[in-house]
């Protein structure tokens, strides 16, 4: 199963972490090998970059976003671009 989740990047032991939004296998660890990078999130500067076509591709194939990624996608109104039968997410 594939999930859309956050992958931490930046320097070690740094309080101001930034995250990549990645499509990754459920069994992989947080910094594990991802299938594809689909976005970027900086919580300190509150910046978000989303590759919407790639995100829609993975959502249509059945990928489940984690809670935080789901909130980011909802804020960016990505779910409005999906067909109505595909919007059943946790």
């Amino acid at each position: 199963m594939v999930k859309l989740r956050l992958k931490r990047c930046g320097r070690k032991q740094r309080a101001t972490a930034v995250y990549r939004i990645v499509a990754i296998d459920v069994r992989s660890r947080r910094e594990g090998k991802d299938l594809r990078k689909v976005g970027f999130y900086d919580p300190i500067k509150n910046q978000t970059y989303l590759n919407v076509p790639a995100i829609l591709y993975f959502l249509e194939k059945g990928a489940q976003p984690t809670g935080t990624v789901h909130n980011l996608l909802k804020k960016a109104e990505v779910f409005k671009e999906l067909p109505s039968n595909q919007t059943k997410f946790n």
Side-chain angles (χ1 to χ4, degrees):
M1 182 176 172
V2 176
K3 280 202 175 235
L4 297 176
R5 68 181 186 200
L6 297 176
K7 181 177 181 179
R8 187 175 176 154
C9 56
R11 291 193 318 216
K12 293 181 184 177
Q13 304 295 324
R14 188 173 177 200
T16 58
V18 293
Y19 298 90
R20 286 189 177 133
I21 301 169
V22 296
I24 194 167
D25 187 35
V26 172
R27 297 166 290 189
S28 298
R29 57 194 171 101
R30 184 183 64 188
E31 286 87 13
K33 178 120 173 83
D34 51 68
L35 300 173
R36 186 165 179 193
K37 297 172 183 77
V38 295
F40 177 83
Y41 174 57
D42 185 354
I44 303 299
K45 296 179 182 176
N46 202 15
Q47 292 179 336
T48 306
Y49 166 76
L50 301 172
N51 184 352
V52 177
I55 292 171
L56 291 176
Y57 170 79
F58 282 107
L59 290 175
E60 288 171 356
K61 296 294 182 185
Q64 294 292 316
T66 60
T68 306
V69 174
H70 184 271
N71 291 339
L72 290 171
L73 297 178
K74 192 161 66 170
K75 188 185 291 187
E77 300 179 349
V78 172
F79 294 120
K80 290 183 179 180
E81 298 181 29
L82 278 175
S84 61
N85 61 350
Q86 297 260 339
T87 56
K88 298 176 184 171
F89 296 109
N90 296 335

